[in-house]
Amino acid sequence: MRIGELSRRTGASPRALRHYESSGLIASSRTANGYRVYGEGAVARVANIRYLLDAGLTLEDVSAFRECLDGDVSSAPPSARGLEIARERLAVLDARIAAQTEARDRLSRALSTHPDPA
Protein backbone atom coordinates (compact mmCIF):
# COMPACT_ATOMS: atom_id res chain seq x y z
CA MET A 1 0.00 0.00 0.00
CA ARG A 2 1.17 3.53 -0.64
CA ILE A 3 1.76 6.12 2.05
CA GLY A 4 -1.64 7.78 1.60
CA GLU A 5 -3.48 4.53 2.24
CA LEU A 6 -1.32 3.72 5.26
CA SER A 7 -2.05 7.21 6.55
CA ARG A 8 -5.81 6.75 6.10
CA ARG A 9 -5.79 3.32 7.76
CA THR A 10 -3.72 4.37 10.77
CA GLY A 11 -4.57 8.03 11.31
CA ALA A 12 -0.87 8.93 11.13
CA SER A 13 0.01 11.75 8.77
CA PRO A 14 2.28 11.00 5.80
CA ARG A 15 4.85 13.27 7.43
CA ALA A 16 4.74 11.19 10.64
CA LEU A 17 5.06 7.98 8.61
CA ARG A 18 8.14 9.32 6.84
CA HIS A 19 9.54 10.29 10.25
CA TYR A 20 8.88 6.78 11.62
CA GLU A 21 10.63 5.39 8.57
CA SER A 22 13.65 7.67 8.92
CA SER A 23 13.85 6.54 12.56
CA GLY A 24 13.97 2.92 11.43
CA LEU A 25 10.63 1.98 12.99
CA ILE A 26 8.85 1.11 9.73
CA ALA A 27 10.18 0.16 6.33
CA SER A 28 9.02 0.55 2.77
CA SER A 29 10.15 -0.43 -0.65
CA ARG A 30 10.15 1.92 -3.62
CA THR A 31 8.32 1.60 -6.89
CA ALA A 32 10.01 2.50 -10.18
CA ASN A 33 8.60 6.02 -9.92
CA GLY A 34 9.85 6.44 -6.34
CA TYR A 35 6.61 5.95 -4.41
CA ARG A 36 6.91 4.30 -1.01
CA VAL A 37 5.11 0.97 -0.72
CA TYR A 38 4.38 -0.56 2.69
CA GLY A 39 3.40 -4.11 3.54
CA GLU A 40 0.17 -4.99 5.32
CA GLY A 41 2.09 -5.45 8.60
CA ALA A 42 2.85 -1.73 8.66
CA VAL A 43 -0.71 -1.04 9.83
CA ALA A 44 -0.22 -2.91 13.12
CA ARG A 45 3.30 -1.57 13.51
CA VAL A 46 2.15 2.05 13.13
CA ALA A 47 -0.78 1.43 15.50
CA ASN A 48 1.69 0.18 18.12
CA ILE A 49 4.03 3.14 17.57
CA ARG A 50 1.11 5.53 18.04
CA TYR A 51 -0.07 3.62 21.13
CA LEU A 52 3.36 4.03 22.75
CA LEU A 53 3.64 7.69 21.73
CA ASP A 54 0.15 8.37 23.10
CA ALA A 55 1.26 6.76 26.38
CA GLY A 56 3.87 9.52 26.70
CA LEU A 57 6.93 7.79 25.29
CA THR A 58 9.25 9.54 22.87
CA LEU A 59 10.17 8.17 19.45
CA GLU A 60 13.58 7.31 20.89
CA ASP A 61 11.84 5.36 23.67
CA VAL A 62 9.69 3.55 21.11
CA SER A 63 12.78 2.39 19.23
CA ALA A 64 13.64 0.20 22.25
CA PHE A 65 10.45 -1.76 21.52
CA ARG A 66 11.37 -2.42 17.87
CA GLU A 67 11.33 -6.20 18.28
CA CYS A 68 7.73 -6.31 19.52
CA LEU A 69 6.07 -3.63 17.38
CA ASP A 70 4.52 -6.24 15.08
CA GLY A 71 2.53 -7.90 17.89
CA ASP A 72 -0.07 -6.59 20.31
CA VAL A 73 2.03 -4.21 22.40
CA SER A 74 -0.87 -3.17 24.63
CA SER A 75 -1.45 -6.70 25.98
CA ALA A 76 2.06 -8.17 25.82
CA PRO A 77 3.87 -8.69 29.13
CA PRO A 78 6.38 -5.87 29.57
CA SER A 79 10.10 -6.53 29.48
CA ALA A 80 12.43 -5.26 32.19
CA ARG A 81 13.75 -2.63 29.76
CA GLY A 82 10.20 -1.63 28.81
CA LEU A 83 9.31 -1.12 32.47
CA GLU A 84 12.48 0.90 33.01
CA ILE A 85 11.66 3.17 30.06
CA ALA A 86 8.06 3.60 31.26
CA ARG A 87 9.21 4.52 34.77
CA GLU A 88 11.74 7.03 33.42
CA ARG A 89 9.13 8.63 31.17
CA LEU A 90 6.60 8.74 34.04
CA ALA A 91 9.13 10.59 36.20
CA VAL A 92 9.69 13.14 33.42
CA LEU A 93 5.94 13.63 32.97
CA ASP A 94 5.42 13.99 36.73
CA ALA A 95 8.15 16.65 36.87
CA ARG A 96 6.56 18.55 33.98
CA ILE A 97 3.12 18.37 35.60
CA ALA A 98 4.55 19.63 38.90
CA ALA A 99 6.26 22.55 37.13
CA GLN A 100 3.10 23.45 35.23
CA THR A 101 0.99 23.19 38.40
CA GLU A 102 3.39 25.50 40.22
CA ALA A 103 3.29 28.02 37.36
CA ARG A 104 -0.52 27.88 37.35
CA ASP A 105 -0.65 28.39 41.11
CA ARG A 106 1.72 31.40 40.91
CA LEU A 107 -0.42 32.97 38.21
CA SER A 108 -3.60 32.27 40.15
CA ARG A 109 -2.12 33.88 43.28
CA ALA A 110 -1.02 36.91 41.27
CA LEU A 111 -4.48 37.32 39.78
CA SER A 112 -6.20 36.89 43.13
CA THR A 113 -4.61 40.14 44.34
CA HIS A 114 -6.16 42.00 41.40
CA PRO A 115 -9.93 41.47 41.31
CA ASP A 116 -11.61 41.40 37.93
CA PRO A 117 -13.04 44.85 37.17
CA ALA A 118 -16.70 44.40 36.37
Side-chain angles (χ1 to χ4, degrees):
M1 82 189 80
R2 292 199 349 212
I3 196 167
E5 182 180 348
L6 183 58
S7 174
R8 281 188 296 281
R9 291 179 63 184
T10 62
S13 69
R15 182 177 181 202
L17 295 171
R18 287 189 292 274
H19 188 61
Y20 301 163
E21 188 171 349
S22 70
S23 298
L25 295 173
I26 62 174
S28 68
S29 57
R30 296 290 184 135
T31 61
N33 58 5
Y35 290 128
R36 288 177 166 86
V37 177
Y38 298 91
E40 188 62 34
V43 174
R45 187 170 263 274
V46 170
N48 284 324
I49 292 167
R50 291 175 56 88
Y51 172 81
L52 293 169
L53 292 173
D54 289 345
L57 275 62
T58 66
L59 209 53
E60 183 179 337
D61 295 335
V62 171
S63 66
F65 295 89
R66 223 177 243 137
E67 297 79 34
C68 59
L69 289 175
D70 295 321
D72 184 3
V73 169
S74 64
S75 66
S79 67
R81 179 66 182 131
L83 289 171
E84 180 183 353
I85 289 169
R87 287 185 183 108
E88 289 170 2
R89 190 55 45 208
L90 183 61
V92 168
L93 291 171
D94 284 344
R96 287 181 184 166
I97 290 168
Q100 289 293 307
T101 300
E102 179 57 33
R104 184 211 172 277
D105 291 348
R106 279 194 308 269
L107 183 58
S108 180
R109 284 190 302 272
L111 288 174
S112 70
T113 63
H114 300 290
D116 191 16

